[in-house]
Amino acid sequence: MKNSSMLGGVIHNIVMSLVTPLFHLTCLLLLPTTCSAMGAEIIRAHCINAFELAFPRQQWTSENDLRAFVDNVSTEHKADTYFACPLGGGVGSELSNFDSGDLLDWFLTAFNPNVLRYTEIIMSEVSVVNNVCSMDKLFFASIGNCHVHAMSRLMIEVDEDGKLVRWLDHFDQEDLNQKMGVCNLQLDVTDEL
């Protein structure tokens, strides 16, 4: 009996001498994953912050919100800046190598909050790959008693300081234009009555 307990103790010591270094090696290998996961959380927070500067939760977008949003455009990566709304929408829907003033002009021309009441809402998990986030979002506008909504896929790239580098919004522009047109027609009919 004494020999078997000694043998058990020796086996236990051998197993532990093998397992302990393997455990430490596993921890060291997982450490970069934990660091990159923390990095992903920081990038995710930067992307959500960039989005919510323009589209604060539970309120209509204002010109001041857009000004805060465009002030968050990266100046260090100006040559890489790209904005598309919608992606592939042709002339007037895309900006490259822009600064905050160019982007504000674009918004005040295309989606002026002083003329159109609208907001956007993140509708999915925000996934992160390197410095790029992607998410599903909902555009919601109110024109008189008419409401318009459109789903889209948004990709945002931020720099290491959380400043906006790229904004790629992919949605069906024809569908949104058609819905906005229907609302405008309803307003015209209401005005005539």
Side-chain angles (χ1 to χ4, degrees):
M1 186 75 112
K2 198 173 189 183
N3 286 343
S4 66
S5 69
M6 277 183 29
L7 182 61
V10 169
I11 292 174
H12 177 268
N13 288 341
I14 291 172
V15 169
M16 289 308 291
S17 68
L18 292 174
V19 169
T20 301
L22 288 175
F23 175 75
H24 290 288
L25 179 62
T26 303
C27 289
L28 287 173
L29 291 174
L30 291 178
L31 185 61
T33 304
T34 305
C35 292
S36 66
M38 287 179 11
E41 287 304 313
I42 291 168
I43 297 300
R44 182 177 289 108
H46 286 322
C47 290
I48 292 170
N49 180 60
F51 181 88
E52 290 181 347
L53 283 171
F55 311 110
R57 293 180 187 184
Q58 301 181 354
Q59 68 184 42
W60 299 113
T61 297
S62 71
E63 187 173 331
N64 287 337
D65 297 328
L66 293 178
R67 288 183 186 282
F69 173 71
V70 302
D71 283 345
N72 193 45
V73 170
S74 178
T75 54
E76 290 183 28
H77 299 278
K78 184 177 187 273
D80 297 327
T81 57
Y82 185 75
F83 178 88
C85 182
L87 181 61
V91 177
S93 69
E94 299 177 12
L95 297 171
S96 59
N97 193 18
F98 63 88
D99 60 22
S100 59
D102 298 329
L103 188 54
L104 182 62
D105 288 344
W106 184 90
F107 267 106
L108 293 179
T109 301
F111 291 97
N112 189 332
N114 300 315
V115 176
L116 176 68
R117 287 177 30 162
Y118 69 95
T119 192
E120 298 193 12
I121 304 162
I122 297 172
M123 300 297 289
S124 69
E125 290 295 317
V126 177
S127 58
V128 177
V129 176
N130 298 324
N131 283 10
V132 178
C133 301
S134 62
M135 65 201 81
D136 294 326
K137 69 174 184 64
L138 175 73
F139 169 84
F140 182 80
S142 178
I143 306 169
N145 289 329
C146 187
H147 305 290
V148 174
H149 61 86
M151 289 294 295
S152 69
R153 187 75 181 160
L154 175 65
M155 292 190 310
I156 300 172
E157 180 182 350
V158 294
D159 66 13
E160 54 281 348
D161 297 322
K163 300 288 188 176
L164 179 70
V165 178
R166 291 188 178 100
W167 177 281
L168 307 173
D169 195 349
H170 186 73
F171 64 90
D172 186 341
Q173 185 175 14
E174 287 183 32
D175 178 57
L176 181 59
N177 289 343
Q178 187 176 37
K179 290 175 181 176
M180 299 286 275
V182 168
C183 276
N184 285 328
L185 286 174
Q186 288 178 357
L187 284 176
D188 290 344
V189 169
T190 305
D191 289 343
E192 290 176 9
L193 298 176

